[in-house]
Amino acid sequence: MALTLDDIQHLFDTHGSMAYSGEPVTQLQHALQSATLAEQAGASRELIVAALLHDLGHLLNQQGETPTERGIDDLHQYYALPFLRPLFPDAVLEPIRLHVDAKRCLCAIDASYHARLSADSVRSLQLQGGVLDDEAAHAFLARPYAQDALALRRWDDEAKDASRVTPDLPHFMEMVAGVARIAD
């Protein structure tokens, strides 16, 4: 079943106030901050939409407060894709799908990256397979949309500031509608 634009709005309206897994922001604040950072970086509309929607799987497959503390990897990077695939091009979907492996890759290729991860991101890293080895990191970097996924990952990591001011959801939902294949 595909999500509509109204369904996406409803998910944020209904579940956006949930805590973002052990971080000082809500799910909606995290999404808006990720999209804002992408927009400020001059990213494409598709990548800004990916930044907004990258954790939608958490809202679709709710596992309670801080599932990593209970040893749960909710596979959120994959969970939302079947719902989003009919609506969005690969330029939106692939960075979402790859953003977890991008964290694993950045830990392998950037010596200072791991030290900047939040406690929850460190826990989830282990549940998600740990740091990629050199061969796997090289293979990841050769994939289509890998660079977009790396950028999304860095915005994801920065989007945990309870005091950051962002545009509101309607600002980004206009962009979502602009890149969607189907209008509501």
Side-chain angles (χ1 to χ4, degrees), residues 26 80 97:
T26 66
R97 183 174 72 84

Side-chain angles (χ1 to χ4, degrees), residues 48-123:
I48 295 167
V49 170
L52 180 73
L53 303 179
H54 77 278
D55 281 343
L56 202 65
H58 291 311
L59 303 183
L60 288 164
N61 181 25
Q62 296 178 30
Q63 296 292 320
E65 182 74 21
T66 319
T68 60
E69 288 181 340
R70 292 175 278 124
I72 296 172
D73 175 11
D74 65 3
L75 301 171
H76 70 284
Q77 71 274 28
Y78 304 122
Y79 195 86
L81 293 179
F83 299 97
L84 297 174
R85 190 163 307 286
L87 197 57
F88 296 107
D90 283 348
V92 172
L93 300 173
E94 285 300 292
I96 293 172
R97 183 174 72 84
L98 296 172
H99 83 276
V100 167
D101 283 343
K103 173 174 65 174
R104 299 175 64 210
C105 180
L106 283 166
C107 286
I109 66 171
D110 179 347
S112 66
Y113 178 79
H114 188 278
R116 294 189 308 267
L117 292 177
S118 70
D120 191 66
S121 287
V122 170
R123 276 193 304 274

